[in-house]
Amino acid sequence: MAVIGIYEKALPQDISWAERFALVNKLGFDFMELSIDESDERLARLDWSEKEIKMIQSKLFASEIWLHSLCLSAHRRFPFGSDDEKKRNKAKNIMKKAIRLAHRLNIKIIQLAGYDVYYEQKSVLSRERFIECLTESVQEASRYGIILAIEIMDDPFINSVTKFMAIKNQIPSPFLQLYPDLGNLSAWSENDPAMELEKGKEHLVAIHLKDTYPVTTESTGKFRNVPFGKGCVDFLGLLKVLKRSGYEGAFLIEMWSGENAGYENEIQEAKDYLYPKLNEAGYHV
């Protein structure tokens, strides 16, 4: 049976942790991916007390689901490659706290956004700083047995497996792996998504399922809130590539429906679209 999870932001944010975990179970998912983004509210999770950690652990145990991964997108605001030393130090501190939090919550994978910088000008130096900070982070993660997995992004810095492999070759650690987003991978016209997945098949630890509109000479594309089946992703083809390549890891449905009153219907529509394709590809759900 395939292991399928849902992104935290697909669910309402104004509910308790017990309600959120119970909802994940009710919707038929195995796990939830926790979000720590660039907002102050979610960054504060890095400083949860021991009491708060134990409360979340107890609610998880009662719900019979787990936190398989942590989506750490806070580095968009505080990037490893920043020209500002204070931001780089903040980025390193965020990473250290995220590793410790993952360890305490028994989270196995921290998904990193593949940005050298996001709001600043990219350069050779921003790439060098990114690699330097990532190397330190991988060393820290390895001490806790936590895998850092880079997402293929909506940004040119790491928008392909080929570009990930260029970084991976500089940091040949088993604790640095690949977390492709099929939507992001498919949106860039220079990518052949099937061949890209084949290049990274030995490093895959999880897969994001999301649709996108493509980047073209006339459009910057769209990387969020594209209805499944309306974008450019050949889900069945790519799932078959993954199955043939030996991938048997987790799949994460990435949605931002939590702010919508009809979020349950949206999630069910996503399942109705994706699950037949997963089954046809050989992943039984």
Side-chain angles (χ1 to χ4, degrees):
M1 294 289 291
V3 176
I4 313 289
I6 190 71
Y7 187 39
E8 180 188 346
K9 291 185 180 181
L11 309 173
Q13 299 307 297
D14 58 349
I15 58 177
S16 70
W17 286 106
E19 291 170 323
R20 187 172 294 118
F21 297 151
L23 184 55
V24 172
N25 191 322
K26 173 192 168 186
L27 293 169
F29 294 106
D30 300 300
F31 70 92
M32 188 189 81
E33 183 167 272
L34 186 68
S35 168
I36 296 184
D37 60 22
E38 59 188 306
S39 68
D40 289 337
E41 179 184 5
R42 283 197 167 90
L43 282 169
R45 295 176 173 184
L46 296 172
D47 295 309
W48 274 335
S49 67
E50 193 65 31
K51 181 179 179 180
E52 288 170 306
I53 295 285
K54 288 181 178 178
M55 179 273 294
I56 290 172
Q57 289 172 330
S58 69
K59 302 305 181 186
L60 275 171
F61 184 79
S63 70
E64 299 182 351
I65 63 109
W66 72 90
L67 297 177
H68 180 266
S69 47
L70 188 162
C71 178
L72 183 63
S73 54
H75 288 129
R76 182 190 294 224
R77 178 178 169 192
F78 299 103
F80 282 151
S82 178
D83 188 51
D84 185 334
E85 185 177 4
K86 289 183 179 179
K87 284 187 178 180
R88 291 200 306 276
N89 289 336
K90 177 73 171 180
K92 293 178 184 180
N93 191 43
I94 286 170
M95 190 74 258
K96 288 179 180 179
K97 288 183 176 183
I99 290 167
R100 286 164 174 75
L101 179 63
H103 176 66
R104 294 164 79 192
L105 290 173
N106 199 30
I107 293 173
K108 301 172 179 64
I109 297 168
I110 298 177
Q111 181 219 70
L112 294 183
Y115 303 123
D116 56 344
V117 292
Y118 189 80
Y119 300 112
E120 302 174 34
Q121 186 69 36
K122 297 177 183 297
S123 67
V124 173
L125 192 53
S126 66
R127 183 177 186 272
E128 286 301 303
R129 288 170 176 151
F130 174 86
I131 293 174
E132 178 183 338
C133 292
L134 182 60
T135 300
E136 293 177 15
S137 299
V138 170
Q139 291 170 350
E140 181 74 7
S142 69
R143 299 185 183 104
Y144 292 86
I146 303 295
I147 293 172
L148 303 187
I150 294 182
E151 182 184 10
I152 303 304
M153 298 306 300
D154 56 349
D155 176 89
F157 183 64
I158 302 181
N159 62 355
S160 67
V161 176
T162 300
K163 290 182 178 178
F164 161 78
M165 290 303 299
I167 301 292
K168 174 69 175 175
N169 289 338
Q170 310 306 311
I171 312 173
S173 168
F175 294 95
L176 178 64
Q177 299 295 345
L178 176 61
Y179 193 152
D181 182 310
L182 298 188
N184 294 347
L185 189 64
S186 300
W188 299 93
S189 60
E190 63 265 34
N191 290 343
D192 180 321
M195 292 183 68
E196 289 293 308
L197 288 176
E198 290 169 352
K199 289 178 183 178
K201 65 182 181 180
E202 296 179 358
H203 304 290
L204 302 174
V205 294
I207 301 290
H208 265 177
L209 300 175
K210 180 186 73 180
D211 218 338
T212 49
Y213 293 141
V215 177
T216 67
T217 54
E218 292 81 29
S219 171
T220 57
K222 187 176 181 182
F223 293 87
R224 293 189 179 188
N225 296 316
V226 175
F228 285 96
K230 302 298 183 182
C232 63
V233 181
D234 179 355
F235 284 101
L236 179 57
L238 295 181
L239 289 169
K240 282 181 172 289
V241 170
L242 288 167
K243 187 67 176 180
R244 173 174 55 79
S245 299
Y247 178 75
E248 297 293 343
F251 293 95
L252 189 284
I253 298 177
E254 187 175 31
M255 302 177 68
W256 291 264
S257 52
E259 297 180 359
N260 304 330
Y263 71 92
E264 286 197 48
N265 289 333
E266 291 182 42
I267 292 172
Q268 187 58 52
E269 288 172 2
K271 292 169 66 177
D272 290 345
Y273 178 81
L274 291 168
Y275 282 20
K277 290 176 170 51
L278 284 159
N279 282 319
E280 188 174 349
Y283 295 105
H284 302 295
V285 293

